[in-house]
Amino acid sequence: MNLKILIADDHQMVSDGLAALIDAQSGMSVIGCATNGVDALAKAKQLRPDVVVMDVSMPEMNGIEATQEIHNRLPTIRIIMLSMHSSPEYIHRALQAGAMGYILKRSAGKEVVKAIEQVTAGKHFFSEAVAEIVVEQSLHRPAGVDAVSLLSARERQVLQLLAESHSIVRIAELLSLSPKTIETYRARIYEKLALRDLPQLVRFALKHGLTSLD
Amino acid sequence: MNLKILIADDHQMVSDGLAALIDAQSGMSVIGCATNGVDALAKAKQLRPDVVVMDVSMPEMNGIEATQEIHNRLPTIRIIMLSMHSSPEYIHRALQAGAMGYILKRSAGKEVVKAIEQVTAGKHFFSEAVAEIVVEQSLHRPAGVDAVSLLSARERQVLQLLAESHSIVRIAELLSLSPKTIETYRARIYEKLALRDLPQLVRFALKHGLTSLD
DNA sequence: GATGATGTAAGGAAATCTACTACATAAAAA
DNA sequence: TTTTTATGTAGTAGATTTCCTTACATCATC
């Protein structure tokens, strides 16, 4: 069996590196790379990989949203999240979205290979530091009421786009919706998160990893 | 001739990927990896690589500082910077520190191979987007001023207040000036820093420590 | 089958932004 | 020492955006 892998990372240098790493392994090969969430979803549909290795932070549609989408639409595809941070929040949301693995960029390259093997066998796989957090979370977590989870998927998406400097009109275009609709989402976001303006919204998005500096 | 390469990146996953990529190439091989600037300097001294591929942002000692050190102590070693962003500031500082190449993580994996070949031949190498900035800088750049220092004191003050969610009107009150004056400052800030909107401004302020999250 | 959350959208008044222009002063360059 | 440039200050006016409110259909859920 030769596993088909799709890589999604906005830094092509990183994807190409991972691809080299994976292709050097027998039993698996990279069949495609995506550079953002939308692209990842499209390529997943088109290429039907066995496993997607997906970066958490990407422009347009972030890795967690993309995971959610892929998981909903193509539930047989296993998804491994790749992240710079071991923030409990990310991890929680990633798992909620349907990720089977969560590995850190700071860990060894072989981890990704191990992770692919594990999730293919239907098992979860986490980097060590992540595993601890997962356990801890499952212990004393009073049903995740982190602020982000108050938002609907659409609202999260709009939040991210707003934080990434897209204007209301531009977002409306990107999502093929009326600007007025986007305004409604923004109003709901402000309301739910008790924010008052764009700077606060940007800070919120950064704090909660919906977007990153640079 | 078999080029000896040292990789420095705090994300081992990324280093390992790059290593796989480079090792798949004939004529060059990775002889070591470092995970921070101090480590990079030590390994450079010990292993005497021909080329160091160094991430800009690393903990402890960042890539630019490490480049400076290595360049001073071991001037025959060629250094290629690897970065997520094409910020003119970083680029400038990297070159000043002695880097011979500057490539973006978003560019293709093969770029790193090309870069290694070029710098080994004593030539500079830049990703396309970077090259433009380098040219532009050499044209109209009053040597090594970081972006923040382009601003006047008033402008910095207004930048900070804007990033902290204060409205134009509120800032005018705080500073006992006309709102219109504040707008002028903002326009000048946008102009000088090549920003377009508030989210970008907030990011800039955060990056340059003019304000902090929370 | 009411209730609430969500996705979608509009109207209209108020506020803000954009793009110029203006001018005085201080600093720097020619 | 002129001349130029940067800075602090402020205005006009049209274009845009925001704010607040209302509306409605759908879907889940109680």
Side-chain angles (χ1 to χ4, degrees):
Chain A
M1 52 113 220
N2 202 53
L3 295 171
K4 288 178 291 178
I5 314 294
L6 173 64
I7 297 176
D9 191 310
D10 56 329
H11 301 303
Q12 205 196 323
M13 186 71 64
V14 176
S15 328
D16 285 1
L18 285 173
L21 201 72
I22 292 170
D23 282 337
Q25 206 69 19
S26 70
M28 52 185 73
S29 58
V30 175
I31 56 166
C33 290
T35 59
N36 64 55
V38 178
D39 196 16
L41 179 56
K43 293 230 166 78
K45 273 198 251 188
Q46 187 201 326
L47 304 172
R48 301 300 169 118
D50 298 296
V51 178
V52 181
V53 176
M54 174 122 55
D55 192 9
V56 166
S57 61
M58 288 189 291
E60 310 268 316
M61 178 193 269
N62 69 45
I64 290 175
E65 280 166 345
T67 297
Q68 184 92 64
E69 290 295 320
I70 294 175
H71 185 64
N72 286 344
R73 289 206 190 10
L74 306 156
T76 61
I77 296 181
R78 310 293 190 179
I79 301 167
I80 296 166
M81 301 300 299
L82 190 56
S83 171
M84 286 197 291
H85 318 285
S86 56
S87 130
E89 230 170 314
Y90 287 170
I91 297 171
H92 184 253
R93 296 226 310 281
L95 295 180
Q96 206 100 55
M100 290 289 286
Y102 196 109
I103 58 185
L104 300 177
K105 285 194 178 171
R106 84 165 100 97
S107 49
K110 283 188 306 181
E111 290 254 297
V112 75
V113 174
K114 274 194 240 166
I116 290 171
E117 285 163 352
Q118 289 291 302
V119 303
T120 302
K123 296 176 193 161
H124 285 273
F125 183 92
F126 306 107
S127 288
E128 240 178 276
V130 177
E132 281 174 36
I133 290 166
V134 171
V135 170
E136 200 171 325
Q137 271 183 45
S138 73
L139 288 180
H140 54 295
R141 180 120 187 164
V145 280
D146 70 311
V148 180
S149 69
L150 292 174
L151 301 179
S152 72
R154 262 295 198 236
E155 287 159 357
R156 262 196 300 282
Q157 195 177 15
V158 169
L159 169 56
Q160 189 188 346
L161 291 166
L162 283 169
E164 282 169 359
S165 272
H166 298 290
S167 71
I168 291 285
V169 172
R170 175 106 180 75
I171 295 172
E173 281 165 6
L174 284 173
L175 304 183
S176 303
L177 291 173
S178 155
K180 281 300 186 182
T181 303
I182 310 301
E183 284 186 21
T184 300
Y185 292 144
R186 182 186 46 190
R188 286 182 186 161
I189 292 165
Y190 280 172
E191 157 108 52
K192 287 185 179 177
L193 305 181
L195 304 175
R196 268 146 253 98
D197 48 42
L198 265 180
Q200 290 190 352
L201 182 148
V202 173
R203 283 153 185 277
F204 179 92
L206 286 167
K207 264 196 247 180
H208 294 80
L210 289 162
T211 180
S212 66
L213 278 182
D214 56 45
Chain B
M1 50 111 219
N2 202 54
L3 295 170
K4 288 178 291 179
I5 315 293
L6 173 64
I7 297 176
D9 192 310
D10 56 328
H11 302 303
Q12 204 196 325
M13 186 73 63
V14 176
S15 328
D16 286 1
L18 285 173
L21 202 73
I22 292 170
D23 282 336
Q25 206 69 18
S26 70
M28 52 186 73
S29 57
V30 175
I31 56 166
C33 290
T35 58
N36 62 57
V38 178
D39 196 17
L41 180 55
K43 292 229 167 77
K45 273 198 250 185
Q46 185 201 327
L47 305 172
R48 302 300 170 117
D50 298 296
V51 178
V52 181
V53 176
M54 173 121 55
D55 191 8
V56 167
S57 61
M58 288 189 292
E60 310 266 316
M61 177 193 270
N62 71 42
I64 290 174
E65 284 163 342
T67 296
Q68 185 92 66
E69 290 296 318
I70 294 175
H71 186 63
N72 287 344
R73 289 211 197 0
L74 306 156
T76 60
I77 297 182
R78 311 293 190 177
I79 301 167
I80 295 166
M81 300 300 299
L82 190 57
S83 171
M84 286 195 293
H85 17 68
S86 56
S87 133
E89 234 171 310
Y90 285 170
I91 297 171
H92 186 256
R93 296 225 307 277
L95 295 181
Q96 206 100 54
M100 289 289 286
Y102 196 109
I103 58 185
L104 300 177
K105 285 193 178 172
R106 83 165 100 97
S107 49
K110 284 188 306 182
E111 290 252 296
V112 76
V113 174
K114 274 195 239 166
I116 290 171
E117 286 163 350
Q118 289 291 302
V119 303
T120 301
K123 295 175 194 161
H124 283 274
F125 184 93
F126 306 106
S127 288
E128 240 178 275
V130 176
E132 280 173 35
I133 290 166
V134 171
V135 170
E136 201 171 321
Q137 272 184 42
S138 75
L139 289 179
H140 52 297
R141 178 116 189 173
V145 282
D146 73 308
V148 180
S149 70
L150 289 174
L151 302 179
S152 69
R154 262 298 196 231
E155 285 159 358
R156 259 198 301 283
Q157 193 177 16
V158 169
L159 167 56
Q160 188 186 340
L161 291 166
L162 284 169
E164 282 168 358
S165 272
H166 298 291
S167 72
I168 291 287
V169 172
R170 176 107 180 75
I171 295 172
E173 280 165 6
L174 284 172
L175 305 183
S176 303
L177 292 172
S178 155
K180 282 302 178 184
T181 302
I182 310 301
E183 286 188 348
T184 299
Y185 292 145
R186 182 187 45 192
R188 286 182 187 161
I189 292 166
Y190 280 171
E191 156 108 53
K192 287 185 179 176
L193 305 181
L195 305 174
R196 270 145 254 97
D197 48 42
L198 265 180
Q200 290 190 351
L201 182 149
V202 173
R203 284 154 185 274
F204 179 93
L206 286 168
K207 265 197 246 180
H208 293 80
L210 289 162
T211 181
S212 68
L213 279 181
D214 53 49

